[in-house]
Amino acid sequence: MSDGAGEHWFAGVDVGGTGIRIALARGGWPAALTAVRTAELAAPARITAAGHDGEALLAAVLPALRGLLDAAGAPGATAVAVGATGMALLGRDLAARLPGPLARETGARSLALASDAITAHIGALGTRHGVVVAGGTGLVAVGSHPEDGWRRADGWGQLLGDCGGGAWIGRAGLEAALRQHDGRAGGSALLLALATEEFGPVAGLPAALQPRADRAALLAAFAPAVGRAAAEGDPVAALLLDRAAEEIAASATAAAAGLPSPHLCLTGGLFRLPGLADAVRRHVAAYLPDARWTTPDGPPLLGALRLASTLPSPPWPPSPPLLDVLAVGG
């Protein structure tokens, strides 16, 4: 690779519930943004009483980011954009801790901190108006409106919302397993077997899950088992996935309120569950018959790169804490 000195480099960071993805790119958006180096870290988001653990995130991201810069022969990055799950609700520690160290490590003059729902939207639709549903461990729908800016629906976290997301589905599947264990109505023998295979005897589930800071990720890890059971014809699992699709459709509809013929995208690993995306489209059709289903341009990591390459004056409206743009370099 040629020496990267003298070129403009941009870094994007995508912090999900189960891991971190980082990319380094040069060029600009929309003309010629090219990802050159990427890294993926199996580092679940750590949630403390203060929200996201900024120190833990920096400990994971900074060495990986420095490694990408060195491998590309880049002296630094002009701008960095970080999209993090739960940023709008739990991002105070990240907003306080990230700017200085990221600027010192990369030489960046501009930094954007955003909800991963915003970077998912930018990665999927660019500057087009519409709704992106980002589904992973959690679930949030974000609409981009010509007059009102960003409109979010759900994304309220594991305890109060994220309805239809991975943790929601996994928890519902484990509840059905425990119902079967107890002999209560609504249980599933197949989900009980799969839960035992995944976690061991289900009587130990409360002690195994409740003290864990990463319990949302652990719950979401059971969502594929629910999808597998539904695909094998288990009626309880199939009903759970259809309920999830209803919840997701309700969030998409709320985020699209007032948008005529909105572009609509589903993005994130959640929609790899068999049949879930089709079920969401079926439920959405009842509320938004004029929706234009659109294939996403790319994932949230692409959105972070697009955002970084347009700093310090992005075409998307800043709206802290959903999207905040900071000048950090000298």
Side-chain angles (χ1 to χ4, degrees):
M1 177 177 297
S2 63
D3 186 354
E7 296 179 295
H8 286 290
W9 293 84
F10 306 96
V13 182
D14 174 39
V15 183
T18 57
I20 300 169
R21 289 150 290 277
I22 307 171
L24 188 66
R26 58 187 169 188
W29 185 80
L33 183 65
T34 305
V36 175
R37 299 277 178 172
T38 60
E40 186 159 351
L41 311 175
R46 288 177 55 85
I47 306 299
T48 69
H52 269 288
D53 187 335
E55 185 175 349
L57 181 60
L58 285 169
V61 167
L62 291 182
L65 189 50
R66 171 45 54 193
L68 292 180
L69 289 166
D70 290 345
T78 301
V80 180
V82 179
T85 182
M87 176 67 81
L89 304 177
L90 302 168
R92 286 175 300 177
D93 195 48
L94 296 188
R97 291 179 180 267
L98 263 60
L102 280 173
R104 288 191 294 271
E105 186 66 38
T106 65
R109 298 187 295 274
S110 298
L111 172 68
L113 298 178
S115 163
D116 65 343
I118 298 298
T119 51
H121 196 292
I122 294 171
L125 289 180
T127 55
R128 288 170 289 176
H129 295 295
V131 173
V132 171
V133 180
T137 299
L139 192 289
V140 63
V142 171
S144 172
H145 294 247
E147 305 297 331
D148 302 331
W150 303 109
R151 181 175 297 168
R152 190 187 77 178
D154 208 343
W156 294 116
Q158 171 206 346
L159 294 178
L160 299 176
D162 286 355
C163 299
W168 187 96
I169 293 171
R171 183 201 175 280
L174 290 173
E175 180 186 341
L178 291 171
R179 285 178 174 275
Q180 181 70 22
H181 175 269
D182 294 346
R184 292 180 286 152
S188 162
L190 180 53
L191 288 175
L192 176 58
L194 292 173
T196 303
E197 179 182 312
E198 180 87 13
F199 296 103
V202 294
L205 277 173
L209 292 175
Q210 289 183 14
R212 295 284 294 264
D214 60 345
R215 60 181 171 270
L218 291 173
L219 290 171
F222 193 63
V226 178
R228 170 183 161 189
E232 293 180 10
D234 182 85
V236 173
L239 180 60
L240 291 180
L241 284 190
D242 194 64
R243 283 175 50 205
E246 285 187 276
E247 295 285 0
I248 295 167
S251 292
T253 301
L259 276 175
S261 302
H263 292 281
L264 212 69
C265 283
L266 303 177
T267 184
L270 179 69
F271 297 106
R272 290 196 291 267
L273 293 182
L276 181 60
D278 287 341
V280 172
R281 293 186 182 98
R282 186 175 68 251
H283 285 291
V284 166
Y287 303 106
L288 297 172
D290 60 343
R292 292 178 285 174
W293 287 100
T294 305
T295 301
D297 293 344
L301 185 58
L302 174 63
L305 286 172
R306 284 176 167 178
L307 179 57
S309 75
T310 63
L311 294 177
S313 302
W316 305 278
S319 180
L322 284 176
L323 172 58
D324 200 4
V325 176
L326 306 169
V328 292

